[in-house]
Amino acid sequence: MSSENTATAATPEAGDAVVAQADAAAQTDTVTPDGVTPDGVTPDGVTPEAATPAGGVSKAMIADIEEAMKDVVDPELGINVVDLGLVYGVHVDDENVATLDMTLTSAACPLTDVIEDQTRQALTTGPGGGLVNDIRINWVWLPPWGPDKITDEGRDQLRSLGFNV
């Protein structure tokens, strides 16, 4: 017993353009329970990343957090954790608390406290109180870190220090 796909391609007709326009207009008026339209914009015209959370500080943008994390330097290698490929992911919640999925070059690294302190300093202090209200680091070991995670910039920095990468 076999089944065949009997779907056929629709041929556009003059009325289809009017229906498509009506559908597009209906979508822009649709909002989710949190007030965000399907294209990710709140009713006041800002994206959720730029919305102001309960603390009154603008919710941090992921790109800004990643850039600030370049100030966090692995104490043993002297290269920032972003270019070393130690930051696996960043999430900012509605309270403007950043959770970073990070790893280390070795699970036995005794310097997690140093990196955590540097991260807190880089993200929660500065003009206006910093990028985020608080941080959490979720130390992860899978996938395991390897030299393949180092960025080209990180490789250049390591070479300038005499490492062969």
Side-chain angles (χ1 to χ4, degrees):
M1 197 167 158
S2 70
S3 65
E4 288 184 7
N5 184 353
T6 59
T8 58
T11 305
E13 296 179 19
D16 289 343
V18 173
V19 171
Q21 287 175 344
D23 287 345
Q27 284 182 342
T28 57
D29 294 333
T30 304
V31 294
T32 61
D34 61 354
V36 178
T37 62
D39 60 354
V41 177
T42 60
D44 58 357
V46 296
T47 60
E49 290 83 13
T52 304
V57 176
S58 294
K59 188 173 176 182
M61 301 289 285
I62 302 300
D64 293 338
I65 291 173
E66 289 172 348
E67 185 63 31
M69 286 298 291
K70 289 185 177 183
D71 290 340
V72 178
V73 175
D74 180 282
E76 294 177 314
L77 296 174
I79 307 297
N80 73 72
V81 296
V82 173
D83 287 327
L84 277 176
L86 301 179
V87 179
Y88 284 1
V90 177
H91 173 76
V92 181
D93 68 16
D94 290 338
E95 300 300 317
N96 203 31
V97 175
T99 300
L100 294 94
D101 291 334
M102 292 182 65
T103 194
L104 297 168
T105 56
S106 163
C109 179
L111 300 170
T112 56
D113 290 343
V114 173
I115 292 174
E116 196 160 337
D117 290 344
Q118 285 185 41
T119 299
R120 186 170 309 284
Q121 180 76 19
L123 298 180
T124 63
T125 63
L131 290 173
V132 297
N133 294 333
D134 200 7
I135 62 129
R136 292 184 186 106
I137 297 179
N138 179 30
W139 295 108
V140 295
W141 307 110
L142 293 174
W145 179 87
D148 60 306
K149 306 248 188 292
I150 302 171
T151 66
D152 290 338
E153 175 79 18
R155 290 179 189 284
D156 290 343
Q157 293 173 43
L158 286 168
R159 283 186 198 107
S160 72
L161 293 172
F163 289 94
N164 185 15
V165 289

